Amino acid sequence: MQTSSTEHQTAPTPVVHDVHTEHADHDFTYLIVFVALAALTGLELLATYVPAIKIPLLIGFAAAKAMLVVAFYMHLRWEKRILPMIFAAPVIIGILVALALQQLVMR
Amino acid sequence: MNGRTLLRLILVSIGLLLAGLFVGATNQFMPTAASAEAQPIDALFNFMLVIATIIFLIVEGALLYSIIRFRKKPGDETDGPPIHGNTALELVWTAIPAVIVLGLSLYSFQVFADMQNDKDGTLVLHVKGQQFVWSFDYPHDPNVKLLSSSELHLPINVPIRMEIESADVMHGFWVPEFRIKQDAVPGRITEARFTPTLLGEYNVVCSELCGSGHGLMHNKVVVQSQADYDKFVTSLIEPEAQQPAPGEHNAAWGKHLILSNEYGCGGCHYLPDAGIAGQVGPTWVALADRAAGRVADEDAKTYLVNSILYPNKYVVSGYPANVMPQNFGQRMSDTDLNSIVDYLLQQTANPTANGTPAAKSP
Amino acid sequence: MATTTVPAVPLTSAALHQRRQWIKYFTWSLDHKVIGIQYLVTAFTFFLIGGILAMLIRVNLLTPDSGLFIDTATYNAVFSMHGTIMIFLFVIPVFVGFGNYFVPLMIGAKDMAFPWLNAFAFWLIPPAGLLLLAGWIVGPPGAGWTAYFPLSGPVYSHADGQTLWALALHLLGISSIMGAMNFLVTVKNLRVPSMTWFRLPLFVWAMMATAIIVLLATPFLSGALTLMLFDRLAGTNIFNPATGGDPLLWPNVFWFYSHPAVYIMVLPGMGMLSEVLPVFSRKPVFGYRAIAFSSMGIAVLGFVVWGHHMFTTLAPWTRIPFMVTSMIIAVPTGIKIFGWVGTVWRGKIRFTASMMFALGFLSLFVIGGITGVILASVPVDLQAHGTYFVVAHLHFVLFGGSVFAIMAGAYYWFPKITGRFLNERLGKVHFWLTYVGFLLSFLPMHISGLYGMPRRVAVYDPKFQAINILTSFGAFILGIGQLPFFINAAVSAVSGEVAPPNPWNALGLEWTTSSPPPEHNCDGDPVAAPDPYGYGTPMAVAYLAGERNMDVLLASGGHAAPHFAEQPAGGDR
Amino acid sequence: MAQEALHDTNLVAPVAGTIPHEAAHSAHASGVDHAAIGVDNRKTGIWLFLVSEVMFFTVLIAANMLARWRNPEPHEILNIPLTAVNTFVLLTSSFTVVRAFSALQKNNRTSFLRNLFLSMILGITFVSIQAIEYHNLSTEGLTLSANLFGSTFFALTGFHGTHVIIGIIWLTRTFIKGFNGGFSPTDTWGVELAGLYWHFVDIVWILLFVIVYLI
Ligand code: HEA
Ligand code: HEA
Ligand code: CUA
Ligand SMILES: [Cu+2]
């Protein structure tokens, strides 16, 4: 998969082994991420005690947690660009549609 | 581009434009325009037709020309010229349609926005759709009771706002001559705005699939003078004395339910006594005489009750099954059911059994 | 230079020798070509069933009263089944079939990326079809192919057929999603290494755009059907307004799937057109990149127009954005249409049956597209929605568009698939009956629709009878017109004229192998050329003139690829 | 090959043909043969699958959000402390899955199997707690058909639970294969795929916890 579609004349790179198979040691990162996830969960629970701003806070925390898992546990951070792009599409469309549906159906 | 080509191009363009205008101006695709909204919509439609005709002729013309001009000559095995594209041309045929559709959007928006405007002196009417009939309610003095009507009467040149609701599934309120269509959605009230401008009788047609009787779901619309309209609304007033109270086995209440179109019976059945004139289902005139013995071992009463609750098992031969709603068992209270049946049992050919048949012509 | 030559004639007969036994097509096979044929045959069978239902519709509408069906509910069931079968069991699978057969061949792969998944996706289709048809036994679905709530809910559709409908569509959706994953991975990873994005044939581009749509939109259908099944089977009330649910959720979710789905139903056909038109006008396709990108543009725009099916349902002001986006889709579609006209222009057109269907597509799809733009205008749609105008629009784009493209593709690729030609004369009979019958049956619908005839009615105002008789008459011609095709295909597959590997002098990769291709698709590993097509290049001219002399080729084109000479001679027809 | 050097796309014949095998690019892709290239296929495949899963859950989430607009109250009976514990359980299981994966890469088989086993147990814990939660809710009157919130709540969390169960089965299969000596630092794909699926299910829960329970 070539990284840029503008290189018309270059052949697609025949399967390169992915970075993480080269035994980069991420153990410590994984641990940090886990701690962060747990901490964010705690913050979420705390946020419910401030009803005034809890909704943006909660959404922010959940998004951060989801992003941490996708980026580190699912290795997207270390993947070639195409995979993050593939995964971003439904997330963006999904959010927009879910919101649009609220609008359309509530009227 | 030499002069000759330019001239040809201009001539072709003028020809296309004329053809488009001709179709736009002479087409008879739309029915009579009977509302204030119909004129701008027709104008918009005709304008789109002009553009559509031109685009159509360009594409089909180029195709036909190619088919005739560029067909392979016998024995010619060569290829066409190696043209892979032409950026300028491609830009042109991207840009022109883009401009056209943006223009059409703006124009359509303009027409639509005008339709949605609040207008002074708007008359608010209420319409309820149910399988498979419309019923209409008119604004009135709160001290009197008004029956629902199965005909829509409208005063001419008065802006109307229909409040539309549905008792069961989705229906579509549509009067082709008004160019107005709005779905009736169960659980909410939707609106349609229009101003009738032409005296006459039209049809309100159901435009959203609502079950087996969908094609049968249409009621009459009458656009009339304000005076006639007022007279009509007055005729709907139910005299105080005749207003029955809901009661078990109360034939008067049953008649009231039918008169007021509560369950939509009048959409299909015919019974002048109750002011209904449907043509789809079996007539109710002298029904009591026929009810007994229709089904072996069932007296008239049982037969009528079962016909209402299980219409599909009691289809009168020659009439379509599945048209009558099958959910009266859930929708109709026992009080209402018994009262209606009692009223129906009074419908015999011999009028003495039934008091004065006060036929009310709609 | 050339070390392996592929002698044309011997290979052909050899290929015919090893014709796969018919029984193989009824078994679990992992070969993408077998699966492709399985898809095609299944889909055409459903075309027949759906078509016969259409004939029943037309017989019924000969008279304004309920006519053929005493029971109007049966009529509702007939058109619901007709629409569902044509869309979900004919058009969508038939394109998957063509894609299955030709995408690997066109990109030089030996098979699809996941052969097992491929077979599994196919084998979901026959049971789904049977489930749907079983509706006739338990009480058929009658809520239209759109199945709006509450009509399709448990209260108003007791018949179990509606549940089976949802289950069948669920299976078909899952099958589509698996197919789409397979296509995307296949094109991304399995194409010949030298084949860059802009060396892909346009059909492959179209299949990719389609697969992207399927992947993003079809799960929405699955989700909606899941909720529908909950409502019908588990006593929930998600769409039931009587208990707090919302009937508008269904049409929104359904159309969020189904509008993109109409492009699932036409983009592959457009890709096929981009293959067929250049070959028979002997000219390169006009504006390769524009056509490739417009597929993607349509795919993206298709996701933001769903509201245009609900102009009479949605709150007034929310209709406007959908109107604008719907209209904008005319732009990328126009790019394609004009590109194809540009391809034909100044060509040397050969009127094969395939080409006639392709030209038929062009002439009819334009009408359907323009009526689409007319429908996209909110005020006009207030008149046209729910009428025969919409029925006319949808048949112009689906029959005049998709089905004509399918036929063009069928005549074009039949020799590659079976090694034999379809009979051209019968093909032309097929074309003319279809074309004339089509116009007779579907043009008048525009008028009756605008004039006030609602769709989905068994009983209609007698003032429309004349137009309906004309329409039915046209439909019968159209129906009878399909007979030659089915007969042709059945007869030609066994005893048609034997086809060489490259019967049409086409220059795509799929034509470089034998007809039908060997099980491993081609000998050796293919190498992609720098341009997917190139009619009219000096090189191609020389080639087509039968000039295989390398010096001439080099002189004319500059860089002769060694494999050029290996291409089997095309039988000039 | 000569073709690679071509620049003049317009003039060159477009023909593709067959060339001898030795001359072809070595890494030619063959569909049936996973070993040559297939790993990448499967990974792309599972990501595409997850794409469709996102869209599927979008419908269910949107329906649940709508139910909340309609009548906000019923959600008060949800047991937040219990689900918070459950959230923690699922997060931990994700952590153990990446640990397993990383251990396998370092060829630490004990750690690999132990972490995989832990993940299974955590998954089972999650489903069990969810079962308890369902039981409590139904005794309090929130059932699938009680009201709109109930319908969408159970549809949504139920489908998530189903995914967790599928994930547990997948992890178990992976574990058994690993236990029998399968996988190695050069053959990690089976573990990675199961992991990707598991993390995705975790992400869905992260969102559900906030959208359904906390907001
Ligand atoms: C293959 C299937 C297919 C395709 C390709 C399309 C294409 C389009 N459709 Fe259609 N449509 C259906 C299948 C399809 N449709 C079906 C099945 C229904 C009915 C569903 C049901 O209710 O049962 C429907 C219904 C439907 C409606 C709803 C009508 C209603 O129920 O009220 C609308 C409204 O906007 C619409 C619009 C469009 C538009 C704008 C396009 C555009 O994509 C068209 C673009 C193409 C062109 C415009 C032609 C070529 C362009 C040019 C030559 C350039 C110049 C042109 C201009 C500047 C105008 N369609
Ligand atoms: C790809 C899609 C597709 C195709 C190809 C067709 C093909 C045809 N369609 Fe259909 N149609 C739809 C998709 C399609 N349709 C959809 C989505 C709807 C909306 C459904 C809904 O409202 O829910 C619809 C609705 C619809 C209606 C409106 C029903 C109503 O609203 O009340 C009508 C009415 O005339 C109709 C007619 C036809 C006809 C005559 C054909 C013909 O072209 C068929 C020709 C083919 C054959 C006949 C089969 C092969 C022929 C033979 C084997 C020969 C022998 C047979 C005989 C001559 C009897 N269709
Ligand atoms: Cu009411 Cu159709
Ligand atoms: Cu659409």
Side-chain angles (χ1 to χ4, degrees):
Chain A
M1 190 40 242
Q2 68 271 47
T3 39
S4 155
S5 55
T6 49
E7 311 161 31
H8 317 128
Q9 296 296 334
T10 12
T13 340
V15 181
V16 184
H17 273 279
D18 302 75
V19 186
H20 63 268
T21 53
E22 286 156 21
H23 297 259
D25 192 351
H26 296 305
D27 278 0
F28 187 64
T29 324
Y30 293 151
L31 184 66
I32 299 280
V33 170
F34 178 65
V35 173
L37 287 172
L40 283 167
T41 310
L43 284 176
E44 281 173 354
L45 291 172
L46 284 181
T48 54
Y49 292 101
V50 266
I53 49 163
K54 81 169 188 184
I55 291 184
L57 277 183
L58 285 173
I59 292 175
F61 292 149
K65 280 164 74 182
M67 233 115 94
L68 284 175
V69 176
V70 180
F72 294 97
Y73 286 2
M74 295 171 89
H75 322 300
L76 262 198
R77 200 177 169 283
W78 299 294
E79 297 284 1
K80 274 164 277 157
R81 199 146 36 103
I82 185 83
L83 283 187
M85 270 157 55
I86 288 179
F87 195 63
V91 171
I92 295 169
I93 297 182
I95 293 174
L96 292 179
V97 176
L99 293 178
L101 284 180
Q102 310 302 311
Q103 265 299 308
L104 294 174
V105 182
M106 283 319 290
R107 298 271 187 120
Chain B
M1 195 183 293
N2 62 30
R4 187 86 165 272
T5 327
L6 194 67
L7 188 70
R8 254 192 235 160
L9 211 66
I10 293 175
L11 283 179
V12 169
S13 308
I14 293 177
L16 286 172
L17 193 65
L18 285 178
L21 289 173
F22 177 77
V23 174
T26 59
N27 80 80
Q28 293 289 323
F29 293 157
M30 292 283 197
T32 329
S35 77
E37 285 65 28
Q39 274 97 23
I41 291 181
D42 287 0
L44 169 64
F45 175 73
N46 289 336
F47 180 73
M48 295 185 85
L49 218 53
V50 173
I51 292 182
T53 310
I54 294 174
I55 294 172
F56 171 79
L57 287 177
I58 291 176
V59 176
E60 309 284 349
L63 267 183
L64 261 182
Y65 184 81
S66 306
I67 288 172
I68 295 164
R69 213 17 246 294
F70 303 125
R71 56 170 59 235
K72 181 186 89 127
K73 310 282 174 304
D76 181 0
E77 294 297 327
T78 60
D79 284 352
I83 306 167
H84 286 263
N86 179 329
T87 312
L89 201 56
E90 285 167 39
L91 278 179
V92 168
W93 69 45
T94 308
I96 292 183
V99 171
I100 292 178
V101 293
L102 288 178
L104 286 178
S105 302
L106 265 178
Y107 184 3
S108 304
F109 173 76
Q110 192 66 52
V111 172
F112 186 65
D114 286 347
M115 292 168 62
Q116 294 306 123
N117 278 343
D118 276 320
K119 295 171 187 76
D120 289 340
T122 300
L123 177 66
V124 183
L125 303 183
H126 193 90
V127 51
K128 182 170 86 178
Q130 58 185 313
Q131 288 178 330
F132 299 98
V133 64
W134 297 104
S135 52
F136 306 93
D137 285 307
Y138 300 84
H140 57 90
D141 180 350
N143 297 322
V144 298
K145 242 183 116 27
L146 217 58
L147 292 169
S148 294
S149 147
S150 60
E151 286 186 3
L152 175 58
H153 286 241
L154 299 167
I156 190 167
N157 290 334
V158 174
I160 308 285
R161 196 174 86 221
M162 301 294 311
E163 289 183 343
I164 305 169
E165 74 170 316
S166 163
D168 37 40
V169 299
M170 280 173 73
H171 301 274
F173 174 89
W174 180 34
V175 184
E177 285 80 4
F178 294 169
R179 315 281 188 277
I180 291 295
K181 190 178 287 135
Q182 173 63 50
D183 288 356
V185 184
R188 65 189 79 200
I189 300 215
T190 54
E191 285 183 357
R193 294 156 190 260
F194 54 90
T195 310
T197 53
L198 193 67
L199 295 176
E201 294 195 351
Y202 314 102
N203 254 325
V204 42
V205 181
C206 180
S207 60
E208 207 67 71
L209 177 63
C210 52
S212 49
H214 165 58
L216 304 166
M217 185 167 169
H218 44 75
N219 295 42
K220 201 196 278 181
V221 182
V222 182
V223 178
Q224 52 196 179
S225 68
Q226 182 74 43
D228 287 347
Y229 168 80
D230 290 339
K231 214 184 308 165
F232 171 76
V233 174
T234 320
S235 77
L236 289 176
I237 296 177
E238 203 177 17
E240 197 98 31
Q242 284 177 24
Q243 275 176 37
E248 197 71 28
H249 294 288
N250 180 347
W253 175 244
K255 177 175 178 179
H256 168 87
L257 289 172
I258 293 163
L259 263 174
S260 60
N261 231 334
E262 186 66 28
Y263 293 107
C265 312
C268 300
H269 299 285
Y270 178 80
L271 183 62
D273 181 49
I276 59 174
Q279 300 292 341
V280 174
T283 171
W284 281 354
V285 175
L287 179 59
D289 298 342
R290 277 167 283 132
R294 265 257 169 82
V295 174
D297 300 335
E298 277 189 15
D299 61 10
K301 181 165 179 183
T302 324
Y303 172 79
L304 288 177
V305 170
N306 285 340
S307 298
I308 293 173
L309 296 184
Y310 315 106
N312 265 0
K313 299 212 179 78
Y314 285 77
V315 182
V316 177
S317 71
Y319 290 92
N322 271 319
V323 172
M324 182 147 155
Q326 290 160 59
N327 58 347
F328 283 130
Q330 292 105 38
R331 276 172 66 198
M332 211 181 254
S333 66
D334 282 349
T335 318
D336 288 3
L337 177 64
N338 288 329
S339 298
I340 289 177
V341 169
D342 280 5
Y343 171 67
L344 291 179
L345 284 172
Q346 294 176 357
Q347 304 308 314
T348 59
N350 176 2
T352 50
N354 186 22
T356 36
K360 193 161 59 74
S361 93
Chain C
M1 290 216 139
T3 45
T4 43
T5 25
V6 187
V9 182
L11 209 163
T12 308
S13 47
L16 286 172
H17 244 286
Q18 54 162 67
R19 279 180 74 89
R20 297 174 186 88
Q21 285 181 311
W22 63 270
I23 193 79
K24 193 167 166 192
Y25 293 99
F26 293 89
T27 59
W28 177 274
S29 165
L30 296 184
D31 181 351
H32 74 100
K33 295 185 291 300
V34 175
I35 297 175
I37 292 173
Q38 289 173 329
Y39 265 109
L40 292 173
V41 172
T42 313
F44 275 109
T45 310
F46 280 109
F47 177 51
L48 229 136
I49 299 175
I52 288 168
L53 290 172
M55 296 297 114
L56 294 181
I57 296 179
R58 288 321 318 173
V59 172
N60 188 74
L61 293 181
L62 280 170
T63 53
D65 58 20
S66 58
L68 186 63
F69 311 113
I70 302 298
D71 182 351
T72 47
T74 311
Y75 178 82
N76 290 7
V78 168
F79 73 71
S80 303
M81 284 282 200
H82 163 72
T84 311
I85 288 176
M86 284 298 198
I87 283 180
F88 293 104
L89 287 162
F90 170 48
V91 175
I92 294 180
V94 89
F95 282 133
V96 179
F98 279 116
N100 242 301
Y101 202 101
F102 287 104
V103 165
L105 285 177
M106 286 176 153
I107 61 173
K110 301 262 185 261
D111 204 323
M112 297 283 277
F114 307 109
W116 190 90
L117 198 66
N118 201 16
F120 186 66
F122 167 74
W123 283 105
L124 284 179
I125 291 184
L130 291 180
L131 266 184
L132 183 69
L133 290 175
W136 291 113
I137 300 167
V138 298
W145 82 281
T146 51
Y148 275 19
F149 268 84
L151 185 59
S152 60
V155 180
Y156 299 96
S157 297
H158 331 254
D160 288 331
Q162 193 66 44
T163 309
L164 294 182
W165 180 91
L167 282 171
L169 257 61
H170 225 316
L171 292 183
L172 294 170
I174 292 169
S175 159
S176 279
I177 293 171
M178 295 194 305
M181 280 165 56
N182 217 340
F183 277 123
L184 286 174
V185 178
T186 305
V187 177
K188 179 182 163 294
N189 285 353
L190 296 197
R191 54 192 211 278
V192 174
S194 53
M195 192 177 274
T196 55
W197 290 118
F198 290 102
R199 294 174 185 179
L200 290 177
L202 285 169
F203 179 66
V204 177
W205 271 97
M207 286 309 294
M208 276 203 309
T210 309
I212 291 174
I213 303 178
V214 170
L215 207 62
L216 290 171
T218 310
F220 245 66
L221 179 69
S222 303
L225 289 169
T226 305
L227 297 180
M228 178 191 247
L229 285 171
F230 267 110
D231 262 20
R232 291 190 61 85
L233 297 176
T236 62
N237 290 300
I238 295 163
F239 300 112
N240 183 357
T243 40
D246 201 315
L248 284 196
L249 181 60
W250 171 267
N252 273 291
V253 175
F254 179 82
W255 287 118
F256 182 82
Y257 158 73
S258 256
H259 185 85
V262 307
Y263 297 114
I264 296 173
M265 293 176 247
V266 83
L267 280 176
M270 294 176 155
M272 282 151 82
L273 222 66
S274 307
E275 301 288 327
V276 170
L277 283 173
V279 170
F280 296 112
S281 24
R282 314 306 306 160
K283 253 185 90 220
V285 65
F286 195 100
Y288 168 90
R289 284 191 186 205
I291 290 183
F293 281 132
S294 66
S295 290
M296 294 297 165
I298 292 176
V300 172
L301 275 173
F303 279 99
V304 289
V305 304
W306 78 91
H308 69 208
H309 294 273
M310 296 177 285
F311 281 158
T312 61
T313 320
L314 295 175
W317 296 113
T318 55
R319 301 168 188 174
I320 300 298
F322 293 113
M323 166 170 87
V324 180
T325 50
S326 303
M327 291 210 169
I328 292 176
I329 293 206
V331 177
T333 320
I335 293 176
K336 282 180 187 288
I337 299 270
F338 293 128
W340 292 324
V341 173
T343 307
V344 180
W345 191 263
R346 293 185 62 195
K348 310 258 169 151
I349 304 176
R350 281 142 213 238
F351 289 96
T352 58
S354 172
M355 183 63 169
M356 290 165 89
F357 273 103
L359 292 170
F361 173 111
L362 263 180
S363 69
L364 299 177
F365 185 81
V366 172
I367 303 179
I370 292 177
T371 54
V373 172
I374 291 178
L375 284 170
S377 165
V378 178
V380 178
D381 190 60
L382 291 189
Q383 177 73 353
H385 172 77
T387 69
Y388 264 82
F389 193 85
V390 178
V391 177
H393 161 72
L394 77 88
H395 286 94
F396 264 83
V397 284
L398 274 171
F399 200 107
S402 311
V403 178
F404 269 67
I406 290 165
M407 293 304 173
Y411 284 94
Y412 178 61
W413 278 323
F414 194 85
K416 178 53 62 187
I417 297 177
T418 62
R420 293 175 184 277
F421 285 104
L422 278 172
N423 182 305
E424 277 290 316
R425 187 170 307 209
L426 267 182
K428 280 167 192 162
V429 172
H430 175 206
F431 171 77
W432 283 113
L433 286 177
T434 308
Y435 197 75
V436 172
F438 178 86
L439 284 177
L440 276 181
S441 54
F442 294 112
L443 259 187
M445 285 184 183
H446 291 106
I447 297 168
S448 58
L450 287 177
Y451 217 78
M453 176 156 169
R455 60 191 282 208
R456 297 170 160 178
V457 297
V459 179
Y460 57 89
D461 192 325
K463 72 181 169 201
F464 298 117
Q465 189 173 13
I467 262 181
N468 273 290
I469 289 178
L470 177 63
T471 297
S472 293
F473 179 65
F476 299 145
I477 298 183
L478 179 57
I480 290 166
Q482 307 311 304
L483 280 175
F485 173 72
F486 283 98
I487 296 170
N488 199 350
V491 174
S492 298
V494 269
S495 61
E497 188 192 335
V498 173
N502 186 2
W504 314 114
N505 285 334
L507 291 175
L509 184 51
E510 82 268 31
W511 298 103
T512 59
T513 184
S514 63
S515 297
E519 200 149 345
H520 48 285
N521 285 355
C522 57
D523 296 319
D525 285 336
V527 165
D531 185 349
Y533 319 97
Y535 291 99
T537 59
M539 185 100 161
V541 172
Y543 170 68
L544 291 171
E547 184 53 82
R548 302 273 162 64
N549 184 315
M550 269 303 144
D551 297 334
V552 177
L553 288 178
L554 278 168
S556 59
H559 321 270
H563 50 267
F564 200 83
E566 291 162 27
Q567 200 185 22
D572 291 327
R573 293 186 99 242
Chain D
M1 290 300 298
Q3 294 84 340
E4 300 317 288
L6 297 179
H7 293 295
D8 188 352
T9 13
N10 264 3
L11 278 177
V12 176
V15 189
T18 52
I19 58 159
H21 194 78
E22 322 82 63
H25 298 260
S26 50
H28 168 57
S30 140
V32 231
D33 180 9
H34 278 295
I37 181 176
V39 281
D40 207 357
N41 283 352
R42 283 185 281 174
K43 187 145 135 191
T44 320
I46 192 137
W47 275 101
L48 292 174
F49 171 69
L50 295 183
V51 163
S52 70
E53 288 273 65
V54 173
M55 296 308 284
F56 178 78
F57 274 106
T58 302
V59 183
L60 301 181
I61 293 177
N64 184 264
M65 282 161 75
L66 277 167
R68 291 283 300 286
W69 289 103
R70 288 275 143 125
N71 40 358
E73 313 85 41
H75 127 277
E76 250 112 75
I77 71 170
L78 298 179
N79 184 341
I80 293 191
L82 187 67
T83 38
V85 172
N86 228 358
T87 307
F88 192 74
V89 168
L90 208 56
L91 286 177
T92 315
S93 76
S94 256
F95 180 55
T96 51
V97 166
V98 281
R99 297 243 326 164
F101 179 61
S102 156
L104 177 63
Q105 283 180 328
K106 287 186 244 159
N107 209 9
N108 182 347
R109 292 199 74 84
T110 349
S111 168
F112 161 58
L113 290 175
R114 197 180 50 219
N115 275 300
L116 211 51
F117 188 74
L118 255 174
S119 312
M120 284 157 51
I121 298 300
L122 288 166
I124 292 169
T125 314
F126 178 89
V127 177
S128 314
I129 296 184
Q130 202 175 26
I132 296 170
E133 185 203 4
Y134 277 15
H135 177 78
N136 292 345
L137 286 176
S138 64
T139 47
E140 283 171 56
L142 188 70
T143 58
L144 185 60
S145 51
N147 55 30
L148 185 59
F149 180 75
S151 306
T152 56
F153 171 82
F154 285 106
L156 183 51
T157 54
F159 262 92
H160 176 264
T162 317
H163 278 74
V164 177
I165 292 172
I166 294 172
I168 294 171
I169 296 171
W170 196 342
L171 286 181
T172 312
R173 265 195 52 187
T174 316
F175 176 78
I176 292 173
K177 189 171 169 200
F179 193 76
N180 292 335
F183 305 115
S184 70
T186 51
D187 172 21
T188 57
W189 291 99
V191 183
E192 171 151 25
L193 294 188
L196 283 173
Y197 179 80
W198 189 259
H199 297 310
F200 173 76
V201 174
D202 187 21
I203 291 176
V204 173
W205 183 256
I206 289 175
L207 299 181
L208 294 197
F209 181 54
V210 162
I211 295 174
V212 178
Y213 292 87
L214 294 185
I215 287 185

